[in-house]
């Protein structure tokens, strides 16, 4: 980009202080400034909050930056990355700007534009892609390994991205079918107490998988694909005794499996297949005393070749902005409860010693 330095800052310098130079970043004329600044300059305000040491002014198609040289350089790199995102056809929003700046500050190997413009699958004018660096690592791991575990809190895209990879694999004829499964145990519910037939009882537990599927596949074709067995959505119990060849298999809500169920599922793997196991170890709904298969499987399979564990964090939440804050708040509360219970479980001498 063309640039030049001017000798004074927009607001001037304090008495006795040497004025900071102004660095100018010119935006190519083919880029509409509103796509970079956002409606009512929302994205410009996001940049200003992310760079509190800088003065950022926009005149016409130019950014004028003044402040510490390292921050000026980082802001210019941010603008470059955002322009690449726009060039890739991805609309910008506040999250994309904040995540781009975060990646640049962390000096990650991947460029923000490479993460934010990576296409997995497109359907009805909508493209599904990772939105965070950890999500891209997760998607890359699915490409590179036969069995992948996606572990993280709600809203981090564990199941959604796995579903998108499954649909992409089916469209590319890398597999012949998609199998989606979940344990039918949640939030203390028991199937026997629910009204209706067995299918009526099971359907609510599988509904989130149907919802994701409808986002990625033409809804009118789903009944045909399911009738042909190309797409199968079934509770985990239906997997017992089967060998699943040439399939993309997803186990969702895996924290609600027992170690025995987890072993049963993993040993269904057949030739030409790929497995993705997703879950949140902080939301286990199993009866008291039952261990979560997802909590112990990492210790069991550590070091096994072609098995990968991807960990997503509250920073990877891509739902409403409050979801990440809620996950963080519950995590802090759980930690505090653990410390309190630990103190209560000690004798007076042990408590004094730890203080």
């Amino acid at each position: 980009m063309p640039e030049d330095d001017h000798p004074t800052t927009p607001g001037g310098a304090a008495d006795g202080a040497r004025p900071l130079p102004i660095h100018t970043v010119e935006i190519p004329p083919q880029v509409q400034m509103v796509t970079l600044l956002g409606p009512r300059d929302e994205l410009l305000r996001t940049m200003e909050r992310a760079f509190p040491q800088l003065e950022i002014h926009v005149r016409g198609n130019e950014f004028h930056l003044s402040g510490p040289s390292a921050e000026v350089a980082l802001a210019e790199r941010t603008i470059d990355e955002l322009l690449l995102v726009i060039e890739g056809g991805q609309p910008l929003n506040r999250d994309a700007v904040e995540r781009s700046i975060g990646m640049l500050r962390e000096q990650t190997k991947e460029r923000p534009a490479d993460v934010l413009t990576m296409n997995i699958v497109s359907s009805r004018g909508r493209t599904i892609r990772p939105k965070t660096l950890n999500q891209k690592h997760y998607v890359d791991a699915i490409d590179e390994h036969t069995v992948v575990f996606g572990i993280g809190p709600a809203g981090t895209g564990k199941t959604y991205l796995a579903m998108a990879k499954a649909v992409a694999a089916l469209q590319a004829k890398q597999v012949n079918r998609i199998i989606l499964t979940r344990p039918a145990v949640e939030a203390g519910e028991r199937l026997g107490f629910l009204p209706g037939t067995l299918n009526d009882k099971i359907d609510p537990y599988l509904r989130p998988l149907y919802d994701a599927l409808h986002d990625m596949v033409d809804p009118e074709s789903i009944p045909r694909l399911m009738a042909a067995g190309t797409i199968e959505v079934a509770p985990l119990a239906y997997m017992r005794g089967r060998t699943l060849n040439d399939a993309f298999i997803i186990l969702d809500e895996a924290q609600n499996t027992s170690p025995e169920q987890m072993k049963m599922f993993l040993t269904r793997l057949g030739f030409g297949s790929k497995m993705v196991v997703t879950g949140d170890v902080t939301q286990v709904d199993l009866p008291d005393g039952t261990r979560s298969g997802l909590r112990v499987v990492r210790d069991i399979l550590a070091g096994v070749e072609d098995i990968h564990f991807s960990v997503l964090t509250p920073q990877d939440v891509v739902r409403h902005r409050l979801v990440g804050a809620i996950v963080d708040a519950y995590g802090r509360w759980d930690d505090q409860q653990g410390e309190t219970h630990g103190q209560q479980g000690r004798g007076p001498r042990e408590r004094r010693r730890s203080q």
Side-chain angles (χ1 to χ4, degrees), residues 46 49-50 82 93-103 321:
T46 300
R49 286 191 296 270
L82 298 180
N93 55 34
R94 178 178 169 182
D95 279 345
V97 174
E98 290 176 344
R99 295 184 193 281
S100 295
I101 296 169
M103 281 184 260
R321 298 179 61 83

Side-chain angles (χ1 to χ4, degrees), residues 40-55:
R40 298 181 297 279
D41 291 343
E42 178 187 12
L43 304 185
L44 175 61
R45 303 290 170 256
T46 300
M47 288 187 63
E48 290 174 338
R49 286 191 296 270
F51 294 99
Q53 295 178 277
L54 295 185
E55 286 196 35

Side-chain angles (χ1 to χ4, degrees), residues 31-93:
V31 176
Q32 294 185 354
M33 289 299 290
V34 68
T35 62
L36 190 57
L37 303 178
R40 298 181 297 279
D41 291 343
E42 178 187 12
L43 304 185
L44 175 61
R45 303 290 170 256
T46 300
M47 288 187 63
E48 290 174 338
R49 286 191 296 270
F51 294 99
Q53 295 178 277
L54 295 185
E55 286 196 35
I56 304 175
H57 297 270
V58 176
R59 296 188 182 93
N61 70 328
E62 293 181 343
F63 279 79
H64 300 281
L65 312 172
S66 65
S69 58
E71 289 293 283
V72 168
L74 187 61
E76 182 175 12
R77 286 190 62 198
T78 298
I79 294 169
D80 287 341
E81 293 296 320
L82 298 180
L83 288 173
L84 287 174
V85 172
I86 293 171
E87 184 181 324
Q90 169 74 351
L92 290 179
N93 55 34

Side-chain angles (χ1 to χ4, degrees), residues 52-333:
Q53 295 178 277
L54 295 185
E55 286 196 35
I56 304 175
H57 297 270
V58 176
R59 296 188 182 93
N61 70 328
E62 293 181 343
F63 279 79
H64 300 281
L65 312 172
S66 65
S69 58
E71 289 293 283
V72 168
L74 187 61
E76 182 175 12
R77 286 190 62 198
T78 298
I79 294 169
D80 287 341
E81 293 296 320
L82 298 180
L83 288 173
L84 287 174
V85 172
I86 293 171
E87 184 181 324
Q90 169 74 351
L92 290 179
N93 55 34
R94 178 178 169 182
D95 279 345
V97 174
E98 290 176 344
R99 295 184 193 281
S100 295
I101 296 169
M103 281 184 260
L104 290 172
R105 286 198 184 280
E106 292 173 13
Q107 298 182 345
T108 58
K109 291 188 297 183
E110 293 87 348
R111 297 183 61 173
D114 293 338
V115 175
L116 298 174
T117 59
M118 178 184 184
N119 296 338
I120 301 175
V121 68
S122 298
S123 176
R124 303 192 301 280
R126 179 183 182 185
T127 300
I128 297 167
R129 50 171 60 94
K131 296 183 179 179
T132 72
L133 184 59
N134 281 340
Q135 286 187 350
K136 183 180 185 297
H137 290 165
Y138 174 49
V139 170
D140 288 341
I142 293 173
D143 286 333
E144 296 165 7
H145 297 85
T146 300
V147 178
V148 173
F149 290 81
I151 302 172
T156 51
K158 307 179 300 292
T159 304
Y160 203 77
L161 291 173
M163 293 274 285
K165 291 299 294 182
V167 171
L170 183 66
Q171 291 176 345
K173 302 189 184 304
Q174 297 169 355
V175 297
N176 295 332
R177 54 184 172 153
I178 297 173
I179 298 174
L180 312 171
T181 185
R182 275 182 144 203
V185 177
E186 288 193 31
E189 300 282 358
R190 294 295 179 269
L191 292 179
F193 292 99
L194 298 175
T197 64
L198 179 60
N199 284 339
D200 292 335
K201 295 172 187 286
I202 290 171
D203 188 68
Y205 295 95
L206 303 178
R207 180 51 50 189
L209 298 177
Y210 286 111
D211 291 342
L213 197 58
H214 274 258
D215 284 350
M216 303 170 195
V217 180
D218 180 7
E220 295 180 358
S221 67
I222 291 176
R224 173 177 53 81
L225 293 170
M226 295 185 72
T230 305
I231 295 177
E232 178 182 348
V233 184
L236 179 60
Y238 285 24
M239 299 297 110
R240 189 174 297 277
R242 302 173 64 182
T243 300
L244 306 173
N245 295 315
D246 299 312
F248 197 116
I249 312 144
I250 299 174
L251 170 59
D252 188 31
E253 298 291 335
Q255 75 274 8
N256 290 328
T257 63
S258 67
E260 294 76 17
Q261 288 174 318
M262 179 65 76
K263 178 183 177 182
M264 179 274 290
F265 172 76
L266 293 173
T267 53
R268 302 307 94 200
L269 181 67
F271 294 107
S273 290
K274 189 179 289 285
M275 278 184 168
V276 180
V277 179
T278 69
D280 177 1
V281 292
T282 69
Q283 296 194 37
V284 176
D285 299 314
L286 293 168
D288 291 342
T290 303
R291 291 184 303 166
S292 168
L294 188 60
R295 284 181 173 168
V296 302
V297 72
R298 192 167 188 175
D299 294 332
I300 296 170
L301 299 181
V304 176
E305 186 180 359
D306 209 18
I307 293 179
H308 179 83
F309 290 85
S310 288
V311 177
L312 299 160
T313 71
Q315 285 66 50
D316 299 301
V317 171
V318 293
R319 292 182 182 171
H320 191 285
R321 298 179 61 83
L322 274 177
V323 174
I326 291 168
V327 170
D328 277 335
Y330 269 92
R332 291 192 298 271
W333 186 84

